[in-house]
Amino acid sequence: MSAEYATFALAPAIRAGGVLADGGYSVHRDFMDFIVDGRPLLFQLSDLDAVSPLASDIPPAIFTRQVRALLLDAEAPLPGGRYVIYGCPECEGLGCGAVTAVIERDGDDIVWRDFAWQTDETADLELNGYHGTGPFRFRADEYRTELERLLDGEDGRPRRRVLLIGARVAVLARLAAALRTIGIGADITHDASTVPAEELRAYGAVAFGPAIGAPERAAVRAAFASAGVDVAYVDGLAPVIPLLVAQVEHALDRGPLERRRLTGLTATGDEASVTVTSACRVQLLAYRLDRLHRTHTQHLFDGMLEPGTHRIPLDGRAVKGQSFVVARATGGVLVAPVVR
């Protein structure tokens, strides 16, 4: 086992939810990710749709128990001293599969080793081991300090509510319902100045409809500034619910670019330019409004991309007129208008 030390840290991350083209949806999850040597550990595990056990939407008692387990203050939940590092974002069982590892003390150090994909009580390292991942040796004081911050309430977990401001009440109501379906709280108002400061602090983003003018937007920004709240502001591109949901999801991801997989998206009538920081599956969808303002959706691309910027040809018929492209990858989503 290597005696070299790896650095250990925690950082907020999301599993982006969304309203899917087939009418289904994926749930939004906020969680604290493990940052090993300055890079999310999840990025080292191929294209894995998973979250850590340190999710913001689990009850406080369970969250504390998960932290205590990682601190080795409790027995390992799985045989062989194994702990769940990443699990299914939709459920809590092993049936869907989970990344597990042995976590143990070694003198004054903490070691994570023998990473594996596990679907039942026993891990088969030969068949399902992540042979190129770990072992990682952490200094115990650094490791404990990071995890104990979560017990002190200094975790920086994000605010998962969105304030919707617009003139089209029907669209706002449908958007709020869609956001709530995927696990994001949403409220509708026309005047944020009347909202108490303590309520404003619950929001992580504000979404404006296109009919909201500059004076109204300035008043909303002033209300949040007066309350000392730093929120993301979203300018709704079009009254297309999946598109607006994707914009809100992107706004709620406040992590630095270097800790995201999907970092760039532009689109013309001929091609889309997509930038990713690690190998991952990327899906591209087009949303087009016709002359009668009906929405048309078309899948443009679905495949694995290596790190870098990629130019993907587009079907011109799918992006004619007023059109938008949504790119999705594990843990992130981007939206771009088609520019000619």
Side-chain angles (χ1 to χ4, degrees):
M1 183 179 296
S2 172
E4 295 183 1
Y5 286 102
T7 61
F8 179 87
L10 298 167
I14 71 167
R15 185 265 194 158
V19 178
L20 308 181
D22 61 5
Y25 64 91
S26 55
V27 176
H28 174 98
R29 300 293 303 279
D30 296 294
F31 63 99
M32 300 300 291
D33 200 4
F34 307 111
I35 310 300
V36 178
D37 285 335
R39 188 165 179 261
L41 179 58
L42 190 59
F43 288 11
Q44 302 182 38
L45 301 172
S46 187
D47 188 58
L48 186 64
D49 183 15
V51 300
S52 82
L54 305 177
S56 65
D57 55 350
I58 62 176
I62 297 177
F63 185 86
T64 298
R65 188 162 68 242
Q66 300 284 19
V67 175
R68 290 294 183 195
L70 293 171
L71 285 168
L72 303 182
D73 292 341
E75 291 187 9
L78 298 172
R82 302 191 71 82
Y83 296 77
V84 173
I85 305 300
Y86 295 107
C88 174
E90 305 283 349
C91 70
E92 299 179 2
L94 281 176
C96 295
V99 177
T100 67
V102 174
I103 302 180
E104 62 186 5
R105 292 185 179 88
D106 184 16
D108 293 331
D109 304 330
I110 301 292
V111 175
W112 287 20
R113 62 176 176 83
D114 296 341
F115 287 81
W117 179 253
Q118 192 166 340
T119 56
D120 54 36
E121 290 296 306
T122 304
D124 187 334
L125 291 178
E126 183 174 349
L127 182 64
N128 296 317
Y130 286 93
H131 301 294
T133 303
F136 300 115
R137 178 179 293 272
F138 307 115
R139 291 182 172 85
D141 55 349
E142 176 185 73
Y143 180 87
R144 292 194 66 87
T145 296
E146 279 293 299
L147 286 168
E148 286 174 348
R149 283 195 304 115
L150 305 183
L151 300 178
D152 296 334
E154 300 177 6
D155 53 349
R157 284 183 280 174
R159 303 181 296 276
R160 301 173 61 243
R161 297 192 68 81
V162 180
L163 188 62
L164 309 178
I165 303 175
R168 302 180 65 174
V169 177
V171 173
L172 294 180
R174 288 164 49 211
L175 175 57
L179 290 169
R180 291 166 188 153
T181 297
I182 66 172
I184 298 173
D187 299 304
I188 300 170
T189 188
H190 292 286
D191 186 3
S193 64
T194 64
V195 181
E198 59 269 21
E199 292 186 21
L200 292 180
R201 296 187 184 102
Y203 295 106
V206 176
F208 293 113
I212 301 301
E216 293 89 346
R217 293 170 188 247
V220 171
R221 292 175 182 269
F224 276 90
S226 178
V229 184
D230 178 24
V231 296
Y233 293 96
V234 179
D235 291 319
L237 290 173
V240 178
I241 300 305
L243 181 70
L244 294 171
V245 169
Q247 284 191 266
V248 169
E249 284 280 7
H250 173 63
L252 289 175
D253 187 358
R254 308 301 295 274
L257 280 178
E258 62 270 18
R259 291 181 181 171
R260 303 185 195 183
R261 270 193 164 129
L262 187 60
T263 58
L265 173 67
T266 59
T268 67
D270 300 317
E271 66 179 17
S273 176
V274 182
T275 303
V276 296
T277 60
S278 64
C280 60
R281 176 189 177 191
V282 173
Q283 297 173 296
L284 294 183
L285 282 84
Y287 294 94
R288 178 175 66 85
L289 291 174
D290 64 19
R291 293 179 180 178
L292 299 178
H293 300 286
R294 294 172 300 192
T295 302
H296 301 267
T297 306
Q298 184 168 327
H299 290 272
L300 302 173
F301 176 81
D302 188 345
M304 291 293 296
L305 296 180
E306 294 298 318
T309 298
H310 304 264
R311 299 188 181 281
I312 301 172
L314 300 181
D315 180 352
R317 294 169 298 179
V319 292
K320 65 181 180 179
Q322 187 181 11
S323 304
F324 310 89
V325 173
V326 174
R328 288 189 172 276
T330 303
V333 59
L334 289 176
V335 179
V338 176
V339 179
R340 288 169 173 75

